[in-house]
Amino acid sequence: MLTVGVPAVLAVAALGGVTFVTGAGDDVVRTGDVVTTSTSSTTTSTPVVEDVFTSGGVTIESSAPATTTSTTSTTTTTLAPTTTVTPTTTIPATLPEQPTQPIAPPSDARGPEDQIQLGGIAIPKLGVDAPLLEGIRLTTLDNGPGHWPGTAMPGEVGNVVVAAHRTSHGGPFRDIDQLVAGDTVVFTTDAGEVDYTVTGTQIVQPDAIWIIDPTDTPTATLFACHPPGSVAQRIVVNLELSS
């Protein structure tokens, strides 16, 4: 299990029974024809309104008498100039940002936690298909991989941090040392499936708190004790949101 936390918070917990500090060509229209345009006269009477914010919500109320506007009719004859039409580009929707900071590592590793299932996590290469639970106490990890509370949710900008056992309780992360760059991890939530791609693996010391730090791009971190059956180090798999 891994010593994890954020720069502003440090606490001590235990995972696996050992203490740890836990982102065309333009269309051109040319013409020499004479173009005649004309506008019509209109008279409208429109009340002036404004938004009024109240404790019960937003209401619309009249705030001034009606005003009268008119337009005059004109007829002009002009030679239409060469016009360049430039295609527009649609900007894709941005991902939601991580709204919270990771919680401090729990001081009681075997304390009770609500068993909340957020969805699922699948690692096709390893044949892993398990529930994704909320929490990183052993009472949660004994039932499946746990999402570190306060870290990003799958699909958000930020760091999705997940821990799991390697040798006990089914050892869902038993073979994560076999993951290499390009392998896929699939998270499933109420919003649907979100794919992440492995970018690398590293071995760190138990006090490597920085692995749960938020990121400014959509990333994920899987970690467990290393080597299997030992708590001497932690294995960390880094991922990024698949394009």
Side-chain angles (χ1 to χ4, degrees):
M1 184 40 73
L2 174 61
T3 295
V4 211
V6 290
V9 250
L10 294 176
V12 178
L15 181 58
V18 175
T19 4
F20 71 109
V21 185
T22 26
D26 293 333
D27 296 320
V28 179
V29 179
R30 294 185 176 84
T31 177
D33 297 338
V34 172
V35 179
T36 301
T37 62
S38 148
T39 61
S40 59
S41 298
T42 60
T43 299
T44 60
S45 180
T46 308
V48 178
V49 298
E50 65 178 348
D51 293 340
V52 179
F53 292 83
T54 67
S55 60
V58 180
T59 59
I60 304 297
E61 296 180 357
S62 297
S63 63
T67 60
T68 301
T69 61
S70 64
T71 61
T72 58
S73 177
T74 61
T75 301
T76 60
T77 301
T78 60
L79 202 60
T82 299
T83 304
T84 300
V85 180
T86 304
T88 58
T89 301
T90 301
I91 300 175
T94 57
L95 294 170
E97 294 185 2
Q98 178 177 333
T100 56
Q101 294 293 313
I103 66 165
S107 57
D108 181 3
R110 288 222 168 259
E113 277 187 322
D114 293 335
Q115 297 295 294
I116 301 173
Q117 183 169 344
L118 303 176
I121 177 173
I123 310 176
K125 180 176 181 178
L126 306 182
V128 172
D129 189 355
L132 178 63
L133 307 175
E134 178 74 344
I136 39 88
R137 284 186 170 93
L138 293 175
T139 47
T140 295
L141 299 184
D142 288 350
N143 295 303
H147 170 261
W148 193 293
T151 64
M153 289 293 293
E156 290 181 345
V157 171
N159 187 11
V160 185
V161 181
V162 179
H165 289 305
R166 294 195 76 182
T167 57
S168 64
H169 298 85
F173 281 4
R174 173 65 177 82
D175 297 319
I176 63 170
D177 57 326
Q178 297 180 18
L179 293 176
V180 297
D183 288 337
T184 301
V185 173
V186 182
F187 292 100
T188 304
T189 66
D190 290 341
E193 290 188 353
V194 186
D195 293 356
Y196 283 76
T197 302
V198 173
T199 58
T201 300
Q202 55 189 317
I203 306 300
V204 301
Q205 297 305 309
D207 60 351
I209 300 170
W210 50 266
I211 71 162
I212 69 165
D213 286 349
T215 57
D216 56 10
T217 57
T219 63
T221 300
L222 311 182
F223 76 91
C225 293
H226 181 80
S230 169
V231 293
Q233 295 175 307
R234 307 292 180 261
I235 182 170
V236 179
V237 177
N238 303 111
L239 308 98
E240 63 183 14
L241 188 67
S242 302
S243 57

